Amino acid sequence: MGRLVVVSNRVAVPRRGEPPAAGGLAVALKEAFDSRGGLWFGWSGSVAPNPPDMVRHARRGRVDYAVVDLSDAAYQGFYAGYANSALWPLFHFRLGLLSYDRGQAETYRAVNRHYAEKLLPMLRRDDTIWVHDYQLIPLGAALREMGSRHRIGYFHHIPFPPWAVFSAMPGAEDLIRDLLAYDLVGVQTHRDQAGLCDCMSQGTGMKVRPGGEVRLRSRRTVLRAFPIGIDTDGFAEAARTSVQSPEAERLRTSLVGRKLIIGAERLDYTKGLPERLRAFGALMEGWPEYRNAVTYLQVAARSREDVESYKDLKRDIERLAGTINAEYGDVDWTPVRYVGRAVARDTLAGYYRMAPVGLVTPLRDGMNLVAKEYVAAQDPDDPGVLVLSRFAGAAEGMPEALLVNPLDAQGTAEALAAALSMPLAERRERHGAIFRRLRENTVKSWSGDFLRLLEGNDDPAEAHPPSRAAALSMYQARLSSRSVATSSANSPADKAGTQVADLSTARASRAR
Ligand code: GDG
């Protein structure tokens, strides 16, 4: 079996001697990387006016990390511009926030082509390529144009709207056509699969067969739902340990016996934070018995601060939290505690475990891992209750959560009141049912399922022999990498890799 080649927007190179960061794709891919070796390619997270046009390499275990920097212009046009100001709102059904600029759309395509040019020479004939997320939709088509016949899969982490919404984007047809370059396109839920199939048939006029199969000449693309999971046991263990930590103790002491409602996410307009604050305000208004008896802790890690709509959001949230605190707070009680920065992952796990209510109410979300993590973190003997937006992908697999429409502040407040007063037996029953499912569908089973379907049973190299151009480019690259590798044990690429690791940590906040 060939290597696994992963391409994602942002690549965090682990520090030498340290394991990859817990959580996220690194955990999902660990097994595949350990067993067959691999390459992880993408943006370093670094931006410079005129970065050197080179790929920097770092080897960690069986994985080669290969990263490129972005120029200021590419960052603005590709990342802050088209990806996060046009595609992100579009895919989250927020047409009013969509800001389209043809120049940015061209930069997005140019960056994807540039990535393909850099990646192609690093590929081996029998590699399997797995591309991640909306920043990289045209990458597969760019690779095909350059002659790649590899198996290439794409996973879309965010929602997929139907054509009635999607077609608002100038060039919508081209984006959908780009997906036909992939052998497998994965989305999070059945609702997203329906949206994708609708876009495919209406945007291209092609027939989507049962099972999500589309055929274009000899090429076959499969469109499927693969709901992403978490490292359930790992997160549960982190919560068990961390709930005893000094940080957790500090929070517990400060609550003075009050019940905790918790929310945690990137500060993003898709996460429904103003709506959530209004719902908490409605709880305070309509259920006076909870005044001075509950505290709502919202962790909102800063994100995409150079995108205009995110600045407005920050102001709105701060104003709303201030209004609720002024209205209902007391000398010894602040109803809303708002922490505007990231909290360490394990600490967060401990906080979840001590909170009787998890409040996760995005307006739209591909999956929402916080919902899953909150459930995994609970004490099974005395679990908390998840209040969850029906518009989070996670809701599809969690009918036992209290499902709400986040736009309905009264309805969400009712769910909060129900959660705060739910009898132990019912809490255990609801929690047990979700937790069992979370243990069956983990992040590892997710990546395994995707790769199994992508690779099928036949030999990918037989099914898609590389074209002459691609074979030549790969051959030349292997020759030149051999001469670098033999020149010194402490090669320039290796040194650059160490530098990348430092950079990647410093700029982690630019990841999404
Ligand atoms: C995209 C899709 C899809 C949050 N605050 C802190 C913190 N977090 C962690 C959570 C969770 C992760 O960040 C966020 O994951 P989400 O799934 O909620 O959201 P996105 O970042 O938007 O991710 C989403 C996901 O891709 C996976 O496919 O579910 O729908 O939008 O793990 O725990 N982590 C730390 N400090 C914080 O303050 N350390």
Side-chain angles (χ1 to χ4, degrees), residues 88 92 133 155 157-158 188 228 235 264-266 271 299 301 341-345 348 352 365-370 373 512:
W88 179 264
H92 287 90
D133 230 358
F155 188 78
H157 289 256
I158 61 178
Q188 299 273 24
I228 196 169
F235 203 85
E265 41 262 302
R266 281 184 307 104
K271 303 291 183 185
V299 176
R341 63 183 177 281
V343 169
R345 179 177 174 274
L348 203 53
Y352 289 155
D365 219 328
M367 179 53 64
N368 195 300
L369 299 181
V370 173
E373 290 164 355
R512 269 207 161 271

